[in-house]
Amino acid sequence: MKYLCLVYANEQELHSSPDSPHDSECHAYAQRVQESGRMLAAEALQSVQTATTVRMRGGKLGITDGPFAETKEQLAGFYLVEARDLNEAIQLAGHIPAARVGCVEVRPVRELDIQPAQLQAGQH
């Protein structure tokens, strides 16, 4: 089963705390999970200041600079992993270096109920 591990942290603390992980530590963790065959994708995100929030309301596109909500912690990155169950996904998330200064939300990925023919025809 696929699980998305969303890494949240206060951007200032993520890079300035004594417990802050360095890029090399994060890369080494991702490499270990990759070598175990459980890594599907992983990416760090740029600062929340670079975010753009998009909404469609009443057929009109609305665009706002910045994140969708003002919070103390921002989405900093993610890992998409393959795990036997939630327990294994939680164990993987617990070893994400940024968990020391922020938190990691673990969520099962919902498989869409779409037939291959629907995808080719552009139907949703």
Side-chain angles (χ1 to χ4, degrees):
M1 184 160 188
K2 294 178 189 172
Y3 291 88
L4 185 61
C5 301
L6 298 165
V7 178
Y8 289 94
N10 178 306
E11 284 186 347
Q12 282 70 42
E13 290 179 20
L14 179 61
H15 301 291
S16 65
S17 169
D19 286 332
S20 295
H22 296 281
D23 286 349
S24 59
E25 181 183 7
C26 295
H27 179 73
Y29 169 78
Q31 189 68 35
R32 283 192 309 274
V33 178
Q34 178 73 37
E35 289 169 359
S36 76
R38 295 179 289 185
M39 178 72 70
L40 300 175
E43 295 291 342
L45 300 177
Q46 292 189 18
S47 168
V48 70
Q49 302 305 319
T50 66
T52 301
T53 300
V54 178
R55 292 178 175 84
M56 181 65 76
R57 300 291 188 272
K60 295 189 182 201
L61 184 63
I63 300 172
T64 306
D65 289 338
F68 73 95
E70 292 293 324
T71 62
K72 289 183 179 184
E73 295 184 328
Q74 297 82 33
L75 181 61
F78 71 90
Y79 294 85
L80 180 61
V81 299
E82 184 80 36
R84 284 186 311 273
D85 54 26
L86 180 59
N87 264 352
E88 184 179 32
I90 289 170
Q91 291 303 310
L92 289 168
H95 293 286
I96 293 172
R100 295 193 308 261
V101 293
C103 66
V104 179
E105 177 183 343
V106 178
R107 293 180 63 181
V109 172
R110 182 173 65 90
E111 298 293 330
L112 297 178
D113 187 22
I114 298 176
Q115 303 302 316
Q118 289 176 309
L119 288 176
Q120 291 174 354
Q123 298 172 353
H124 298 277

